[in-house]
Structures are given as C-alpha cells and as structure tokens.
Amino acid sequence: MDKFLIQGGQKLEGEVRISGAKNAALPLLAATILADSPIRISNMPNLRDVNTLVKLIAGLGVAIEYAGDTVTADTSTLNNQFAPYDLVKTMRASILVLGPLVARYGEAKVSLPGGCAIGSRPVDQHLKALEALGAHIEVENGYVHAKVDGRLKGGEVIFDVVTVGGTENILMAAALADGVTTIRNAAREPEITDLANMLIKMGAKIEGLDTDTLVVTGVESLHGCDYAVVADRIETGSYLAAAAITGGRVRTTHTDPALLECVLDKFEEMGAEVTRGDDWIELDMQGKRPKAVSFRTLPHPDFPTDMQAQIMAVNAIGRGFATISETIFENRFMHVPELSRMGANIQVEGNDAVVTGVEKLSAAPVMATDLRASFSLVLAALAAEGETLIDRIYHIDRGYEHIEAKLQGIGAKIKRVSG
Ligand code: UD1
C-alpha cells in the first residue's frame, strides 16, 4: 500500500494549477446517461473516483472513453440499468446514476452505497424525491429498484435536509420528467450550478440557479454537448492552506475566487494576505504564524465541511485557540487522533472541537482515514519538524490529482513510497 514520506519545515512558494472539481465531475458523468447524442466533457480530473464512475457507466453498455482530461460518452449502446455493489461500495456518489437511469429508461437497479467512514449517510432523501416524481421504489437485498411506467411526472420535492447528492439526482431526473418540478430546500453548492449549466446546454429548462428553489420544466429529450468541469474549490482551499501552515506564498491558478469566499475570509482572519484575480487566488502568509480561527460547517455558501480538516490542521499551529463545529456529518473528526499524534492540542466533545495552537508539530507515523482528513495530515506533515510517514494514502488519490507533483512544484519535500 502506498504511503507518503514528507520532510517538514519548507516554506511553500509558487504556483499550483487547480484541476476540475471532483464533486462536479461525478454528477456531470452521471448526466451523460441523459443525452441522446454524444457528449464531451473536458477539464476532467484524473482521479480514482472519476475512473470508478467511468467504469460503472461503461458497465451499463455506454461507449465511454476517458483520454487526457476529456471524457466522451455515447449512450446509444446502453443495454442495462444495473449498478453493482462491487463498484457502488467503493464510491457513494455512484447513487447519482439512479435518477438519470429511471428518468430516461424507466427502470434502474442500483446498489445501496452503505455507510462510510464519516457517517451513516443514508439516501432516503434521494428516494423520497424520486417517489414524488412518480417512481415506484423497492429496497431489497441491498439494492434500490426504481421503476416508472412511461415518464416520471413533474412534482413538488421538499428536502428535509440539505443534500448535495439528493439535489443533483432529482435535478437530473426532473430534467426529463413530464411537467414542472419544484425542488425546495435544494443544496446550492457550485457543483450543483455546474451540473445545472451542463443540463441547460443539453436542452434542459432550469430556473433558480444558485438558490434553494430550483424549478425544472421537463423536456422529452436531452442532447449531447461540449462542457468543461468547474474548478475544484476544495483543492484550491487545500493548497492555500499549505501556504498558510508553512508561512509561505502560493498562487492557485485556473480557479475562481467566487467559489470559496467564506474560506478566503477565514484565511484573512488568520492574518494572511489574500489577493483575488479573475481566475487566480494568491495567499501570502509572510512567514507569520497564523491566528487560530473558529468556524461552523454549514451548507454552501457557508463554510464547507470538505475544508474542515484542513483548516483544523492550520489551527493546530495557530496563535490562540479556536472552536470548530461540524454540523454536516456526525463523525468527521477522525483526523483528530492522528493530528494529536503529531503534537496537536485538540479536545473533541460531540461535534465540537477546541483547538489550542502549539508552536510546533512533530513528525510521527500517521494514518489517512478519509479523503479530506488525509490532506490535513499532509498539511501537518509539511509544517512539522522531521519526517512524517502517512499510511493509507489511497484515500487521497480519490480526490487530489497529481498531489505529489503539485506540492513538489511549490517546494515541498514529499515522495510516494510503496510497501
Ligand atoms: C457531497 C460531497 C461531499 C461533501 C458533502 C457535503 C460529492 C460527490 N460529495 O456528498 O464531498 O462533504 O456533499 O457538502 O459531491 N443525508 C441524509 N439523507 C440523504 C442524503 C443525505 O440524511 O438522503 C445527510 C447526510 O448523511 C449528511 C448530510 O445529509 O449528514 C449531507 O449529505 P449530502 O449533502 O447528501 O452529501 P453527499 O452528496 O453525499
């Protein structure tokens, strides 16, 4: 199993080119199922999760090709609507094929994703929403079987919790439904807007973009198009955090400051100088030790749960103390014991954590537990004295493209070791 060996203590400086967003790429791939002519999506990040979904869609009989940063898909050969447990269990986002399959083909059998490291993460809201559009749903032997006679019917969907995946699934389904669907309490993450924009390019009629009420007027068919994945705001924030924790200066390019305002505000509160360009962001920590900053994770446009672990790592070496409340997932502090092994002072009570900054972290063997938590360990290792070995980095390969090369490019001493 691959590990990272990181020699801490380098002040990171330079430029990082940001990739397409994993969390946008996955729903966009699922949406290819809706197109009745070939579709081409560029700026695809080369990630394990993207490969998993490409494999799953190929398994449906779709002629899908992934070369360079571009995926092309042609659904004319699709011959089944079955997503097996083997693939779904490795990636929860596989459930996103459910809405498109039932909307276009009237039937889908998709494995339940099951629990995951950061919480139980049910899909009840996805299913309830599809039922509101007339799908008949049975859950049996670990599979969701969804069926509809003819087309789905437009209807009123009111989510009980704000769900990113649920909003995406129903948005795709509603695009091909008969009549108007209103989605209330919809998630507003930029990746949802990216999906809506591609669906509109495919011929869908969607109003209310960037708001919590989406109104979709179903159409009979959707066609292919050319589309580029939006920049990854979480990758952007992660590399800016690498500058903050090492006292360095990093410019992220091919990104969009408007996607992560809330996180940039926190960097400024830390004492960093943040400069925003049209498609770049530079963070200069000017060799200073950041001030610890408090925050609460909430749905977009508030502070993203996917940046919680990284900012906690920066707080670990911050001046003063900070409180962090995780309100999205019930078990998303698994990086805390690992950061503590490196000398961090963090007390957890339920979904709240109090971080008291220490002057220095020290290298230790640690273990990655989930995708974003893994990056928090990389950050801690970059700032720590000595050489840190991070095990189970397959988690990080799910969501950070070319991570070693990007970090080496800004002066980090990181290498991948196997065994
Ligand atoms: C997506 C992101 C993930 C991010 C999360 C929250 C992708 C591929 N993943 O995950 O990186 O951390 O949004 O911003 O885009 N819930 C239910 N019932 C449901 C669905 C969700 O109770 O049917 C709960 C979940 O358990 C969780 C909360 O709602 O507590 C938010 O989950 P959701 O927004 O659905 O997250 P994902 O779409 O899985």
Side-chain angles (χ1 to χ4, degrees):
M1 220 181 282
D2 286 4
K3 302 177 175 61
F4 277 148
L5 197 56
I6 298 175
Q7 173 70 50
Q10 322 299 320
K11 204 192 261 187
L12 301 189
E13 288 196 358
E15 252 183 44
V16 179
R17 187 196 164 115
I18 296 304
S19 303
K22 169 183 87 76
N23 286 356
L26 300 175
L28 294 179
L29 282 173
T32 62
I33 294 170
L34 297 166
D36 68 5
S37 54
I39 184 160
R40 181 175 172 277
I41 309 176
S42 58
N43 202 30
M44 265 293 158
N46 188 357
L47 299 170
R48 211 152 59 94
D49 277 7
V50 169
N51 282 299
T52 302
L53 195 51
V54 166
K55 207 163 145 190
L56 192 156
I57 293 171
L60 304 172
V62 174
I64 185 162
E65 265 183 42
Y66 185 12
D69 77 343
T70 302
V71 168
T72 48
D74 179 351
T75 58
S76 57
T77 48
L78 189 144
N79 55 18
N80 76 88
Q81 296 90 32
F82 177 63
Y85 177 63
D86 273 3
L87 286 172
V88 177
K89 74 171 185 213
T90 65
M91 190 185 65
R92 182 184 153 77
S94 309
I95 194 74
L96 291 174
V97 300
L98 184 66
L101 281 176
V102 72
R104 177 136 188 245
Y105 300 95
E107 186 166 7
K109 192 171 173 188
V110 178
S111 169
L112 279 170
C116 79
I118 61 175
S120 59
R121 297 174 93 178
V123 291
D124 58 308
Q125 298 296 311
H126 300 233
L127 305 189
K128 191 181 119 173
L130 281 174
E131 275 174 338
L133 266 57
H136 176 70
I137 296 199
E138 272 175 23
V139 179
E140 226 177 35
N141 308 116
Y143 279 84
V144 179
H145 196 171
K147 251 184 147 167
V148 64
D149 282 335
R151 284 169 76 189
L152 291 169
K153 297 260 175 302
E156 172 108 349
V157 172
I158 307 175
F159 284 117
D160 304 320
V161 293
V162 180
T163 157
V164 174
T167 303
E168 291 163 348
N169 230 336
I170 207 64
L171 185 61
M172 292 187 277
L176 277 188
D178 183 10
V180 178
T181 298
T182 307
I183 309 171
R184 296 192 195 280
N185 201 21
R188 290 185 278 168
E189 268 62 8
E191 294 75 24
I192 292 171
T193 304
D194 204 41
L195 171 64
N197 280 329
M198 185 172 94
L199 291 171
I200 290 168
K201 228 177 162 187
M202 293 163 71
K205 294 189 177 140
I206 305 169
E207 282 166 47
L209 269 61
D210 291 321
T211 76
D212 63 2
T213 305
L214 294 165
V215 180
V216 187
T217 306
V219 294
E220 274 186 34
S221 64
L222 292 166
H223 50 77
C225 69
D226 256 7
Y227 196 76
V229 182
V230 71
D232 196 319
R233 65 196 162 102
I234 304 301
E235 191 196 21
T236 305
S238 300
Y239 284 104
L240 296 176
I245 202 168
T246 62
R249 178 166 55 85
V250 168
R251 179 179 288 210
T252 50
T253 68
H254 299 80
T255 187
D256 180 355
L259 302 175
L260 72 163
E261 261 312 320
C262 188
V263 175
L264 298 182
D265 287 352
K266 284 290 152 193
F267 284 127
E268 282 172 335
E269 201 182 318
M270 284 177 189
E273 192 179 294
V274 178
T275 315
R276 299 152 172 84
D278 281 350
D279 63 351
W280 56 267
I281 307 164
E282 184 172 291
L283 185 147
D284 189 355
M285 202 65 225
Q286 299 164 328
K288 291 182 296 193
R289 189 175 158 201
K291 176 183 169 297
V293 292
S294 299
F295 61 92
R296 164 183 290 265
T297 64
L298 284 166
H300 193 78
D302 284 310
F303 194 93
T305 174
D306 284 353
M307 278 301 298
Q308 181 253 105
Q310 300 90 314
I311 300 300
M312 183 185 281
V314 182
N315 278 341
I317 57 119
R319 283 177 287 117
F321 74 95
T323 54
I324 298 176
S325 300
E326 172 57 57
T327 77
I328 307 291
F329 292 112
E330 73 264 31
N331 185 24
R332 208 172 192 181
F333 282 149
M334 282 174 315
H335 40 288
V336 170
E338 302 302 307
L339 291 172
S340 301
R341 286 168 54 73
M342 300 179 70
N345 180 357
I346 305 168
Q347 311 302 321
V348 172
E349 213 177 296
N351 284 333
D352 297 323
V354 177
V355 188
T356 307
V358 296
E359 276 206 27
K360 273 272 166 229
L361 294 172
S362 54
V366 289
M367 198 143 55
T369 50
D370 72 63
L371 171 56
R372 306 302 169 186
S374 317
F375 204 96
S376 77
L377 301 180
V378 169
L379 291 170
L382 290 168
E385 265 171 3
E387 204 169 52
T388 297
L389 188 67
I390 308 180
D391 200 353
R392 301 205 177 165
I393 57 162
Y394 56 87
H395 288 293
I396 230 170
D397 293 330
R398 287 189 41 212
Y400 287 94
E401 186 180 40
H402 307 317
I403 176 171
E404 304 104 284
K406 289 188 183 188
L407 281 171
Q408 284 159 358
I410 50 176
K413 292 196 171 160
I414 176 170
K415 64 178 179 199
R416 189 179 284 257
V417 290
S418 18

